[in-house]
Amino acid sequence: MDPVSALPSNVTIDIFRKLPLDELARCMLVSKLWYYSIDRWNILWRCIDKTTWSNMPTSLLNVRSLEHELDVDILGDNRYLDKPEKRFLRFLQDSELWNMVRRAGPALKKLVLEFELQITEAGFHSLLHFGCVNLRHLDIHANGNLRASMIGEIIARAGPCLETVALVAVGIDNSNVRDILLNAPNLKHLDLSYCMDLTFDAFPSFLSENTSHGDDIAWDSRYLALLMHPSNPHGTVVLPKLACLRLMHCIKIDNMAVSRIIETFSGSLRTLDVQKTAVTIQGLYSVLRAARQCGYKAVERPGSGMAEASLSPTLALQSLNIQYSDFVSNANVLGANMSRDPELSPWTVADFAKMAPKLTSIYLGGRNSYINDEFIEQLAQGLPGLLQVSICESERLSDRSLLSLASNCPKLQVADISRCLRFSDAGVIALVQACGGLKYLNLSVLAITDDTLAVIGDSLRNLKSILLKHCMRVTFDGIVALVEGSNGLGCQFTLQHLSLADSSNASEVREWCQRRLSSDAIIC
């Protein structure tokens, strides 16, 4: 029995909708009836996302699933650019994209093109030619053929329905960001990582003086007059209520950009990721200052001399990543510009914590000497609901910081405390025993011993990933204690990712772990 001819169309469509597009294309080769039926059912082509196709490497799928669940980057920040073996072996061509978009037409809801280097403007023009006006998810990674003018046309056509836009490593400028914000009122998620030409002028400023220079100012008085804002109640355009903004590796994004972002989206923004940009630890003060300019106030706590926030409503911010490192060869990134702004003292850290009481994820790591134990204590006391924290490479931190996190943040699930050379077994053990829900733990380059791993094996029943790179004092017995625990359970049933790079006896330990852990576990 031929199901396409025998079954009702709606039943057949429901069956075919469960297939990825590459399998759907193979089904079109069965017969002419199948070809023309699948070709005309545009609802089957509404999601063009090659990452869901069946030729995706299984190991990569496992890592991606774990990263999505924990909201962490296991493969590293450069996973898209530095791991060509993880990509598909064959690139899409313009004609193939054209055919898929033609079949979808106005039904197209999602388009994901990651590293499709052979798609040119002719392929992207199919979005305009076939009237894809209902597009809700647009994701384009690393395509040098996409010009700013074509992006503008696509955004102008599909903007009213867009909810997610990711233009990663694409040649866009400040005016493109302005067009996205003006034409996509329903936008919730915006990812502009690796767009090197973006500056703080990509975002409007209602309260601070315009300090832009040159003739190419994206938000001049003409555009600001269009925007509805408490300072401009007669505006006709309402900016989208962004929930997530990612600007990773945008090397010209600085603390001024953070101020403008908070000014514009303080009521809705839940995730702000500006890691490895020109934003320094002083970005915390930029958040605080912008919040105050937007009407948030701080009052003096009687008799203490310390600021206490009395705010209603509070910032919606739940995740903040201002992690930085040597990625940018600019002295300002390492804190040389700290003297230009008010000193980030402990009371401002406490005040920041009260400004964003909903914050559950904060990433402050990076090679710096400005985060000390008192800083972490104030932060931990103000944010007891923290789930994810990164303080890696903070050279001034000691076990005192870990004890503060252990006593104030028992709900931690993700902790990156790598490369903090003053941490010892005592501090790490205290953190592990207090935070039994930890799922991701990065202990790379710490001077820990087998004692710490034994406590981890007995305490963390939900551990999924642990990094022990360059932990030279860890031995084979420590790994056994981690995996099996003192009662034979340990982490062997939950552990999915174990990194032992450059640790002692790494090859021997790796072979044993491959036999002991599940076949899906990634051991490197």
Side-chain angles (χ1 to χ4, degrees):
M1 181 184 70
D2 187 343
V4 174
S5 58
L7 296 176
S9 295
N10 60 325
V11 175
T12 308
I13 289 174
D14 285 340
I15 295 173
F16 281 129
R17 285 177 67 177
K18 300 180 184 298
L19 298 177
L21 292 190
D22 59 329
E23 296 292 342
L24 201 62
R26 293 189 181 96
C27 291
M28 296 179 71
L29 302 177
V30 172
S31 66
K32 288 185 178 181
L33 176 62
W34 282 47
Y35 180 90
Y36 288 111
S37 297
I38 294 174
D39 184 77
R40 73 171 183 270
W41 288 332
N42 57 6
I43 194 172
L44 299 177
W45 304 89
R46 63 188 303 178
C47 176
I48 302 176
D49 182 359
K50 198 173 179 182
T51 61
T52 64
W53 292 9
S54 58
N55 60 348
M56 187 84 165
T58 304
S59 60
L60 184 57
L61 284 174
N62 293 339
V63 175
R64 288 288 177 266
S65 176
L66 183 60
E67 285 183 337
H68 177 74
E69 179 180 347
L70 300 180
D71 191 25
V72 294
D73 181 7
I74 294 174
L75 293 181
D77 293 324
N78 296 321
R79 63 186 185 272
Y80 295 124
L81 302 181
D82 297 339
K83 293 181 168 57
E85 71 278 7
K86 296 295 185 182
R87 299 198 304 256
F88 296 100
L89 297 178
R90 182 179 175 277
F91 294 113
L92 281 178
Q93 305 297 317
D94 285 338
S95 58
E96 295 169 327
L97 177 61
W98 191 275
N99 282 330
M100 288 188 289
V101 173
R102 174 185 62 80
R103 289 163 181 154
L108 185 63
K109 301 292 185 182
K110 182 178 181 180
L111 176 63
V112 178
L113 299 173
E114 293 189 0
F115 298 97
E116 297 299 340
L117 306 181
Q118 296 186 17
I119 299 294
T120 67
E121 285 210 351
F124 290 113
H125 187 72
S126 62
L127 298 173
L128 305 175
H129 184 81
F130 294 109
C132 300
V133 296
N134 297 310
L135 194 62
R136 295 182 181 179
H137 185 125
L138 178 64
D139 189 339
I140 301 173
H141 282 57
N143 189 294
N145 301 319
L146 185 59
R147 293 185 303 175
S149 58
M150 176 59 71
I151 295 175
E153 292 184 46
I154 295 174
I155 296 299
R157 181 72 64 90
C161 293
L162 280 173
E163 297 176 358
T164 299
V165 173
L167 299 173
V168 178
V170 175
I172 64 173
D173 54 25
N174 292 336
S175 61
N176 288 124
V177 180
R178 178 199 65 207
D179 293 340
I180 292 172
L181 297 179
L182 290 177
N183 291 288
N186 297 310
L187 191 64
K188 295 291 187 289
H189 303 274
L190 181 60
D191 187 350
L192 303 174
S193 302
Y194 293 93
C195 294
M196 305 300 185
D197 294 330
L198 298 185
T199 68
F200 65 84
D201 197 48
F203 306 96
S205 176
F206 303 96
L207 305 175
S208 57
E209 183 180 355
N210 192 334
T211 57
S212 303
H213 300 285
D215 298 328
D216 185 21
I217 299 177
W219 292 96
D220 55 21
S221 57
R222 175 186 53 171
Y223 288 105
L224 291 176
L226 297 175
L227 303 181
M228 184 178 294
H229 189 265
S231 62
N232 183 31
H234 302 294
T236 57
V237 177
V238 179
L239 288 175
K241 295 182 179 180
L242 270 186
C244 176
L245 177 61
R246 300 188 185 278
L247 299 167
M248 297 184 296
H249 294 267
C250 296
I251 59 177
K252 296 181 182 179
I253 292 294
D254 54 13
N255 295 334
M256 176 65 75
V258 172
S259 293
R260 290 194 173 198
I261 290 167
I262 296 300
E263 284 180 21
T264 307
F265 306 110
S266 59
S268 61
L269 193 64
R270 289 173 171 78
T271 299
L272 177 60
D273 190 343
V274 288
Q275 65 173 300
K276 297 192 176 181
T277 62
V279 177
T280 69
I281 193 65
Q282 197 73 9
L284 292 183
Y285 186 80
S286 298
V287 174
L288 181 63
R289 180 177 55 194
R292 286 173 173 168
Q293 289 179 327
C294 290
Y296 300 98
K297 298 179 181 178
V299 298
E300 290 295 324
R301 185 184 303 166
S304 67
M306 296 179 66
E308 178 179 354
S310 176
L311 311 171
S312 179
T314 56
L315 294 177
L317 201 61
Q318 296 178 4
S319 177
L320 176 64
N321 189 338
I322 58 174
Q323 207 161 250
Y324 58 88
S325 69
D326 290 333
F327 178 80
V328 186
S329 57
N330 184 337
N332 287 343
V333 178
L334 301 181
N337 62 347
M338 293 284 286
S339 58
R340 302 182 194 173
D341 296 317
E343 183 181 358
L344 195 65
S345 60
W347 73 264
T348 57
V349 176
D351 204 11
F352 163 79
K354 293 182 176 68
M355 284 281 186
K358 300 176 183 178
L359 201 66
T360 58
S361 301
I362 186 163
Y363 295 82
L364 302 173
R367 190 171 303 168
N368 67 82
S369 59
Y370 297 98
I371 298 178
N372 56 23
D373 290 330
E374 188 177 8
F375 181 105
I376 297 300
E377 286 180 344
Q378 293 283 340
L379 199 65
Q381 291 170 7
L383 299 172
L386 274 181
L387 300 178
Q388 302 181 15
V389 65
S390 172
I391 49 177
C392 63
E393 295 188 86
S394 299
E395 58 190 44
R396 294 178 62 186
L397 296 186
S398 67
D399 286 343
R400 178 181 163 188
S401 294
L402 296 182
L403 294 174
S404 179
L405 288 172
S407 59
N408 292 288
C409 306
K411 299 179 181 179
L412 274 180
Q413 296 181 8
V414 176
D416 185 350
I417 57 175
S418 61
R419 300 179 184 274
C420 296
L421 303 183
R422 297 176 64 187
F423 288 168
S424 67
D425 281 327
V428 179
I429 288 174
L431 181 68
V432 168
Q433 290 177 332
C435 304
L438 279 167
K439 297 181 180 179
Y440 174 88
L441 194 56
N442 190 347
L443 305 177
S444 299
V445 202
L446 297 189
I448 58 173
T449 64
D450 295 344
D451 295 339
T452 295
L453 297 190
V455 174
I456 293 175
D458 289 335
S459 303
L460 302 184
R461 289 289 175 263
N462 299 310
L463 187 66
K464 295 188 175 182
S465 176
I466 182 168
L467 277 67
L468 300 170
K469 300 177 181 178
H470 304 282
C471 292
M472 307 308 296
R473 300 176 65 184
V474 170
T475 68
F476 179 82
D477 292 337
I479 299 299
V480 173
L482 167 70
V483 174
E484 296 184 343
S486 60
N487 55 5
L489 295 177
C491 304
Q492 59 185 312
F493 299 110
T494 60
L495 199 59
Q496 299 178 19
H497 180 240
L498 173 62
S499 178
L500 302 165
D502 296 321
S503 298
S504 60
N505 301 322
S507 58
E508 178 186 357
V509 172
R510 192 177 296 114
E511 292 177 2
W512 181 84
C513 289
Q514 287 173 345
R515 296 193 303 268
R516 200 72 178 83
L517 298 177
S518 67
S519 58
D520 295 334
I522 300 172
I523 305 168
C524 55

